[in-house]
């Protein structure tokens, strides 16, 4: 089972974990991205996330389906936040439940690694003295 | 033909809006669109990379474009 | 920072995640063990966990310290439950926060893998028709 | 000397209680304790493995034992 969401409201970690928990699973791996207070030593004021919404949902669905093909995983959830986030807030939650932990770890890590490469979502870091679209320039 | 191209992230700033109209030949490909965009907006060529998506899928240079396609400029993604 | 606990009360996932979250961390990996309803196709009624408490705390502390030496990780938490657990309950939570996600994943996986090899805690699976100490026999 | 040995998990069932008293020579090692335990409780030798812990640390066969040490039989662990 797969649950993919993009939301401009705060993500709810507990309800994500509740969704993946099931009596035939023994291991759950959860990745939670959080907004750091600094990048390369420079203080971050806030982050802004923009998504190409329908394509981003499609690409996340593809990643989830690939993960379910590659590993024996029962449930995989991806929730991504958009809009303005303050330091400490959560842009992304990935939760994976499997009968055995190795599959949960592998699938969770694959999902976040691939999401960061292919899903059309963009992050702008805002500093005291300016802002930058992350990864835009070489 | 004229196509409307969606722009996101830094591409929105470079083209000066969330869509940009581009004039192409009627049998234009994604590669030709890229070339046209880079000519009109040289800052696009200075990005680490950019992709074109057609109807919510990443497209390659050979892909033909139709006027009614949903076309988008995808600058380097940075979600997560 | 390290937080190690053994408790005979239900573990609180949210408070574990809250504890590891910090503004200088960008990635949190959480492993949650849950009691499966079956082992090798046989229905499990409940699990019972017994710990050699002080030694188990010491061994978990060692693992956490090793993980903090091996990877750039800010916070690592291990909470382990003892006593009788029903299907779906949580015997173990490991939560790791790091500036970058790779370290969080590596340290979390190392911690659960090593915990299962070295920490003196024992699990008895109870079935309809008997019970077995897991891993006791070849 | 007589030492009290803690037993956990399946070892508790094998020795019939959470501690067992074992009579050893005064300069006995962990290896000698293991041999004595296996002789008195042959089911211990049939486990996948078992370790001896001394004062909350895994011990090896050469380690000498003192009467006041906290000694424990550690059958195969299965936490997590």
């Amino acid at each position: 089972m797969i649950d993919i969401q993009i939301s401009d409201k705060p993500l709810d970690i507990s309800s994500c974990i509740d969704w993946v928990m099931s009596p035939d699973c023994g291991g759950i791996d959860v990745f939670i991205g959080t907004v750091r207070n600094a990048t390369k030593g420079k203080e971050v004021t806030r982050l802004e996330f923009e998504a190409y919404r329908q394509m981003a949902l499609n690409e996340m669905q593809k990643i989830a389906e690939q993960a379910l093909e590659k590993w024996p995983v029962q449930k995989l959830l991806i929730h991504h936040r958009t809009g303005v986030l303050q330091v400490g807030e959560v842009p992304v939650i990935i939760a994976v439940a499997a009968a055995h932990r190795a599959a949960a770890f592998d699938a969770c890590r694959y999902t976040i690694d691939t999401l960061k490469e292919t899903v059309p979502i963009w992050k702008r870091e805002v500093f005291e003295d300016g802002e930058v679209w992350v990864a835009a320039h070489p | 033909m004229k196509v409307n191209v969606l722009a996101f992230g830094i591409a929105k700033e470079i083209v000066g809006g969330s869509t940009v109209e581009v004039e192409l030949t009627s049998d234009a490909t994604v590669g030709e669109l890229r070339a046209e965009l880079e000519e009109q907006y040289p800052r696009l060529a200075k990005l680490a990379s950019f992709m074109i998506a057609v109807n919510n899928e990443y497209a390659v240079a050979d892909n033909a474009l139709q006027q009614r396609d949903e076309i988008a400029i995808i600058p380097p993604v940075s979600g997560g």
Side-chain angles (χ1 to χ4, degrees), chain A residues 52 62 80 118 121 123 133 136, chain B residues 13 48 57-58 70 75 78 80:
Chain A
Y52 181 12
K62 279 186 205 168
H80 204 297
T118 67
I121 297 179
K123 170 165 53 190
W133 287 100
Chain B
E13 294 175 2
E57 298 281 348
Y58 287 107
E70 181 175 310
S78 51

Side-chain angles (χ1 to χ4, degrees), chain B residues 5-22 36-38 40-44 47 50 73:
Chain B
V5 179
L6 302 173
F8 295 93
I10 196 168
K12 199 162 61 177
E13 294 175 2
I14 291 172
V15 304
S18 59
T19 67
V20 59
E21 203 179 67
V22 182
E36 183 63 27
L37 285 167
E38 290 189 12
Q40 281 185 45
Y41 305 101
R43 285 175 61 204
L44 283 178
L47 295 176
F50 75 94
I73 306 170

Side-chain angles (χ1 to χ4, degrees), chain A residues 7-66:
Chain A
S7 169
D8 58 3
K9 309 237 165 27
L11 305 181
D12 182 342
I13 296 170
S14 292
S15 73
C16 291
I17 293 172
D18 287 347
W19 187 85
V20 297
M21 275 203 174
S22 70
D24 56 347
C25 289
I28 294 171
D29 192 40
V30 184
F31 176 76
I32 302 163
T34 56
V35 176
R36 283 171 67 200
N37 58 7
T39 298
K40 292 163 192 158
K42 207 170 166 188
E43 191 180 337
V44 171
T45 307
R46 64 175 191 274
L47 289 190
E48 296 170 10
F49 285 87
E50 179 184 344
Y52 181 12
R53 190 181 162 82
Q54 190 53 53
M55 183 175 170
L57 289 169
N58 292 357
E59 290 292 322
M60 289 195 285
Q61 180 74 26
K62 279 186 205 168
I63 295 169
E65 287 171 5
Q66 286 157 9

